[in-house]
Amino acid sequence: MTLWQMTAHGVRAYWRLACIPIGILINAYGNNLTDGDDRTLGLVLFLVGGVLAISGMTPLKRFLEENPLRDGLFKIVVALSGMALFTLGTPIAVAVKVAKGTAQPIDFSPAAMSLMLIYLGLPFVMRWMEPKDFLLQRLAGRVRRAAISRTIANAAGILAIAAFLNARFSATYPAPLLSIALTLLVAMAVVTHKTSARTRKLCTQIHTDVQSLLRDLDTLNLARSPRRADDKQADKQMAARRSWDALKRDLSTTVDTGYRSIGLPFLADEVVAELDRNVLAGIDADYPGGAARARADLQAIQDACARHIDVLA
């Protein structure tokens, strides 16, 4: 099936989902009209928007039930949409005024507050809303979301500083603001690069360490074979343990920032603990099934990291 055919099939199957955002927008617009002279039109639009939004709920439920991974992503979208509606209105309005040349210093203070709220709140919202089920299946998306949310938060923080400086100094010291703006743009590029480089470097390291552990487990299995049994089995077990210790440190490292209290770990602690039990069981040969499950999990981790490999990061 070609990309065009897949897209057409998706549109035919789920086009009614568009009724939800369209209905919400019409509903909100009609609600604003009820305070003015067009109350009748506002009431009609309010009711029409509500009906459209409700009509999209049934296909939304069917869409979510078709894939268990979609439910968690839907919650993230809802949370981010709510945060965007709450925080982005003022900065966008100020940006429009800046483009028109009508912005006043007093306009920048509320914009700075909204942007600072995004900077402080977005990483915590993403960490709170991150799905707690199917963690290995969601791992690639988890890494991507952590890097993107941290980049957006850093950009919002830098823009908040710019808005604050405009509110404080644009009327009295307008000349230095140009050089400050250029400095902030460079700072935004630097923090964006550092976040991306950290993500790529961590994924490359994890991919390498997973590969080392898998090879050590293969070597250990060969040493346990009746045909090739030798007296170095303990050494090979110790080598596998060392490989797992290195990988375990990688998996507990935060993706987006070095500050663990505000960063998102590559894997949740409970997943690392379960993987630890399975890997050690496979190394010690206490539970043969644990090694098979650990190998499958390790392969899933390696696959999630494969798209971010960069040995020069």
Side-chain angles (χ1 to χ4, degrees):
M1 183 179 292
T2 64
L3 180 60
W4 169 254
Q5 290 173 331
M6 293 174 60
T7 303
H9 174 74
V11 171
R12 287 195 300 268
Y14 303 115
W15 67 269
R16 288 180 59 189
L17 292 177
C19 294
I20 297 177
I22 294 174
I24 292 174
L25 291 175
I26 294 176
N27 183 276
Y29 180 66
N31 185 57
N32 291 332
L33 291 180
T34 55
D35 295 331
D37 298 331
D38 299 328
R39 293 185 178 180
T40 302
L41 177 61
L43 179 60
V44 172
L45 291 178
F46 182 84
L47 294 175
V48 170
V51 171
L52 279 175
I54 293 173
S55 68
M57 293 301 176
T58 299
L60 174 62
K61 182 180 179 181
R62 177 166 50 86
F63 176 76
L64 296 177
E65 289 176 347
E66 288 180 355
N67 189 335
L69 299 182
R70 289 174 179 169
D71 184 61
L73 296 178
F74 175 71
K75 293 177 181 177
I76 293 177
V77 171
V78 171
L80 292 181
S81 299
M83 187 175 184
L85 290 174
F86 183 72
T87 58
L88 288 182
T90 302
I92 291 175
V94 173
V96 172
K97 289 183 180 181
V98 170
K100 292 181 178 180
T102 59
Q104 300 297 321
I106 195 174
D107 296 328
F108 291 98
S109 293
M113 293 178 61
S114 295
L115 291 169
M116 186 57 64
L117 183 61
I118 295 174
Y119 171 69
L120 297 175
L122 181 59
F124 289 101
V125 170
M126 290 300 298
R127 189 170 182 174
W128 176 51
M129 293 303 300
E130 189 66 34
K132 306 301 187 293
D133 57 345
F134 304 102
L135 292 179
L136 289 177
Q137 291 88 333
R138 299 182 188 273
L139 184 55
R142 177 187 176 92
V143 174
R144 184 169 55 251
R145 287 189 294 271
I148 292 176
S149 63
R150 177 59 59 182
T151 299
I152 294 174
N154 289 337
I158 292 173
L159 290 175
I161 296 174
F164 171 77
L165 293 176
N166 270 285
R168 180 66 179 82
F169 300 110
S170 61
T172 54
Y173 303 100
L177 286 179
L178 179 59
S179 60
I180 293 174
L182 293 176
T183 302
L184 292 176
L185 286 175
V186 173
M188 188 181 300
V190 169
V191 297
T192 300
H193 171 71
K194 285 184 70 67
T195 300
S196 175
R198 178 184 179 86
T199 301
R200 289 181 281 118
K201 185 175 182 178
L202 177 60
C203 287
T204 303
Q205 185 65 45
I206 291 175
H207 190 280
T208 301
D209 288 344
V210 168
Q211 194 171 51
S212 297
L213 176 58
L214 289 174
R215 287 177 176 172
D216 285 341
L217 291 175
D218 290 337
T219 303
L220 180 59
N221 288 336
L222 287 175
R224 287 172 176 163
S225 173
R227 296 181 180 179
R228 302 186 60 177
D230 54 41
D231 56 355
K232 295 183 179 180
Q233 187 176 140
D235 293 339
K236 293 179 174 58
Q237 284 181 312
M238 187 58 65
R241 282 180 173 273
R242 283 194 293 267
S243 295
W244 167 239
D245 289 340
L247 177 59
K248 188 177 179 180
R249 288 191 294 269
D250 298 340
L251 299 179
S252 299
T253 302
T254 51
V255 178
D256 51 340
T257 178
Y259 303 101
R260 187 172 177 81
S261 59
I262 60 175
L264 184 69
F266 185 86
L267 270 181
D269 293 338
E270 58 270 21
V271 180
V272 176
E274 181 181 1
L275 189 57
D276 180 64
R277 289 191 295 269
N278 291 331
V279 170
L280 294 181
I283 293 175
D284 297 333
D286 295 333
Y287 173 49
R293 183 169 182 178
R295 186 177 294 274
D297 292 344
L298 291 170
Q299 189 62 56
I301 294 171
Q302 195 173 37
D303 291 342
C305 293
R307 66 192 68 186
H308 300 289
I309 290 178
D310 185 356
V311 295
L312 300 180

